[in-house]
Amino acid sequence: MMEPGILFSPTGIKQLGLRNRLAVAPMTRVSATEDGHATERMARYYRRFAEGGFGLVITEGMYTDQAYSQGYLFQPGISSAEQAESWRPVVDAVHAAGGKIVAQLMHAGALAQGNRFRGHTAGPSAVQPKGEQMKFYRGSGPYPVPREMRQEDIEEAAAGFAHSAQRAMDAGFDGVEIHGANGYLLDQFLTRHTNLREDQWGGNTENRIRLHTLVLGAVREALGHRAPVGIRISQAKVNDFSHKWAGEEDDARIVFSALAAAGADYIHVTEFEAWKPAFGTDGPSLLELARRYAPGVALIANGSLHESCRGAEAIAAGADLVAMGRSALANPGLPALLSGGAALAAFDSGLLSPIADIKDIEIGGQGKETPSR
Ligand SMILES: Cc1cc2nc3c(=O)[nH]c(=O)nc-3n(C[C@H](O)[C@H](O)[C@H](O)COP(=O)(O)O)c2cc1C
């Protein structure tokens, strides 16, 4: 069994120093104002993770432009200077508690189910997404068929990421993470059955990963080397949990080496159970494949890693940090609990019901308190 102490050793991503290897995974909580501003409630919510000892907080996905990127009503955005400025109290609260905070930049594409700027959705191809809209984000029924994006829509989307990254720097964030995973716009381009294009954006895997690298390049150009630029990758999607890359390890090689070549400072790899073989019942995990094909790039591992031995194993398999999602919601003081060997509270999905917004109990209104350190 791995020694869990490794989780508490300081680390860094490029120039960003981190007090330990524990990160809060990005989690959409639809608790912004209707016009996408972060709120005081959100500052209190995020602060508790830093107070609880997490070295890094990755925000929920923020929409990046005033065209097709917004996914959910009450989702926060970073599509204007005012929205970016509304994040400053969140950033300050996390910093005051000794944590670092990265802004996740997200374009929902065909999975948008609440966008106040557009009455229809857009994606790589006019293919109806699988599954149903998420009720806990105020959606209902099937997803609409998106409009196929033109070249100028693609360029506008990439520019939205770059401008948002710049605004994130202005608001004091320590870095940005491009949401390239979980079925949202970038992942729609990567996925064969949602991308039927016959131009440079479709066809083989090299073409289907091109939007990730375009966005990475645009963000890098906007930020230079001022702050780390990360990107998140998954096989599974919010509307298709069991999706696997058809080209298996070949696809993994193409994807991870393209992200490394495009200058990603870190890759955030998420799977349901991060230690499981990426394909079939045997063989390396997606994390191990990322380590193999993106040498020298920092890695964040995510997926059911809340037990300290699992987290430590992910570090041994090549991750620099491990990110916790549901277990961080149930235990905002998770690092302090783990280091003290205390039991973790189980995640109760009732917390996200009927709507996934931030609940009073999470911001110290009543009930559980963050353990003192
Ligand atoms: C309520 C909720 C909201 C989420 N929102 C996002 C998001 O905005 N961006 C993202 O990349 N992942 C999002 N995720 C996925 C988590 O980051 C994470 O991958 C997932 O919870 C698995 O990690 P875990 O096993 O530690 O919970 C969300 C998960 C939950 C539970």
Side-chain angles (χ1 to χ4, degrees), residues 25-28 61 104 137 179 182 232 270 302 304 325-326 352:
M27 283 178 283
T28 291
Q104 192 187 54
Y137 292 147
H179 198 343
N182 300 5
R232 190 173 224 228
T270 171
N302 169 249
S304 309
R326 293 159 298 171
L352 305 174

Side-chain angles (χ1 to χ4, degrees), residues 129-146:
K130 292 185 179 179
E132 298 242 317
Q133 297 183 28
M134 285 175 276
K135 290 201 174 60
F136 75 173
Y137 292 147
R138 302 183 173 88
S140 68
Y143 292 98
V145 177

